[in-house]
Amino acid sequence: MLVLAVCCMSLLIVSLDVTALNVALPDIRRDLHTSVSGLQWVIDAYTLVLAALLMLAGSTADRIGRRRVFRWGLALFVLGSLACSLAPGAGWLVAARALQAVGGSMLNPVAMSIITNTFTEPRERARAIGVWGGVVGISMAAGPLLGGLLVEVSGWRAIFWVNVPIGLAALVLTTVLVPESRAPRGRRPDPVGQVLMIVMLGSLTYGIIESPHSGGPASPLTLGCGGLALCALVALLWYEARRHEPLIELRFFRSVPFAGATVTAVCAFAALGGFLFLTSLYLQDVRGMSALHAGACLVPMAVMTLVCAPLSGRLVGTRGPRLPLLAAGACLTAAGVLLAVTASVDLPLWVLFAGFVVFGTGFGLVNAPITNTAVSGMPRAQAGVAAAVASTSRQVGSSLGVAVIGAVTAAATGAATGGGLHGASFVAAERTAWSILAGCGVAVLLLGAVTSGRWAQRTAQRVARELDGEDGPVAAAAPTAAVSADPGTDPGTASGQGAPHGESSGARRA
């Protein structure tokens, strides 16, 4: 239980940092005199680096020692947080956020691996992962309010200050309490695949964020970044298909449910990233709310996410992923349409809260089927790799959501060049942004309908048989609803750490 508490401390500081920071964006913008694109990089510098390094961190931890990598992650996260709190300008803050992400990539997936190796009895492991998921729910619900309170009392730098003592305490406790562990056979590193992934994600995001500065989507810079991202993607697919232990196992994508879960994760988390970015600017810069008031306004969305996540896990365990996916897509779409149609500077708060509640319901429902579909049906030796791909997809989606919604806002309001976020220009951008987020909901709805049928399940069974034939007669990983509350961490790591087992008979049937 002490090991679990230490792991939950790392999860708490990472989750609170992400959710609380969005509330502080307007204050960062005014204090550091940066544009909307600068704020986008403050968010995306973290999520992009995290997405690129998650699988590398997991495989490295299994190869050289989980406790060792976990301690490195805590030290780097604390150092990055301290650098963020001292940032004299936007460039410094973006660089410090990237350093934070290097540490963060070594925390949550490695902590989950430590938990699954510490709690070897299935029921104890399920309860431990339930506590882990509960910490994420609490951080999502408390993050906006806590962030607003810190900004109100001490300024935006306090959001990073609080990470330092908690992180240092976790570092000491890890050294004293957490036993060292390694996988029997760690996966070999894949530096070429790692570089290609970084180039692909970085160039794509850079092109989107900087397009308002460079003349729009048809500018040479934007087209060049898009071309570079496409070339890196083609090279990544060609290279990974020829490696024995690739960074990304491309054969997983022959499974329609797995491929659907990956795209669903991108769409759902793009909606979340765009939602948090847009609403923080709207509530404070347009409506003139304080950071604390804006954080309180986001609580209904966070509470619905907290309530609906375990409900979705139970639905997945008893009835499969189709129903929660369809409900999630419908709710995300409805919220986007409602807020696009009613967008105005002085929108009644009850309408705004209604949209937030519906959005939170949809997002709360979507995570469990993503995790379930990613790991269910896979051989247990491959479940961790599949789960790591799903985690990476979440971070990629969040980065793209912030990039696209920020670019739309900056282009429409002139904020890309230092203009203000005011009045009718922002409302026009807001309508477009909410329409894009509604489109993400439609994509989740359609993917849920197409990828959860019998034909899709047959493709998953074929892939599982093929992988079973190579890895030996190992059991397929069954889903567990206990992990469903965690929006950013899955059972296992990129090394092949299996998903937790000990599920109910209903979960096994699903």
Side-chain angles (χ1 to χ4, degrees), residues 123 126 313-314 316-318 478-481 501-510:
R123 292 186 182 277
R314 286 192 290 272
V316 170
T318 56
T480 175
H501 53 281
E503 305 83 346
S504 66
S505 59
R508 287 195 296 271
R509 285 195 299 273

Side-chain angles (χ1 to χ4, degrees), residues 89-190:
W92 178 298
L93 181 58
V94 169
R97 288 282 289 165
L99 178 61
Q100 259 194 320
V102 175
S105 70
M106 303 178 190
L107 293 181
N108 288 359
V110 179
M112 176 59 73
S113 186
I114 290 172
I115 290 172
T116 56
N117 282 276
T118 301
F119 293 86
T120 55
E121 199 277 322
R123 292 186 182 277
E124 289 184 355
R125 181 186 290 176
R127 283 194 294 268
I129 295 175
V131 173
W132 172 270
V135 171
V136 175
I138 292 170
S139 67
M140 283 205 67
L145 195 58
L146 179 61
L149 180 62
L150 289 171
V151 171
E152 196 80 9
V153 173
S154 300
W156 62 268
R157 298 177 191 273
I159 291 176
F160 299 106
W161 291 339
V162 297
N163 294 336
V164 176
I166 299 175
L168 290 176
L171 182 60
V172 172
L173 292 173
T174 300
T175 304
V176 175
L177 299 173
V178 176
E180 185 60 280
S181 62
R182 295 178 176 84
R185 187 182 67 86
R187 291 172 64 85
R188 291 180 297 177
D190 181 7

Side-chain angles (χ1 to χ4, degrees), residues 301 304-313 324 328 332 358-369 484-485:
M301 174 267 177
M304 291 309 299
T305 299
L306 176 62
V307 169
C308 292
L311 172 63
S312 177
L332 293 175
V358 175
F359 185 93
T361 301
F363 185 75
L365 291 171
V366 78
N367 194 61
S484 62

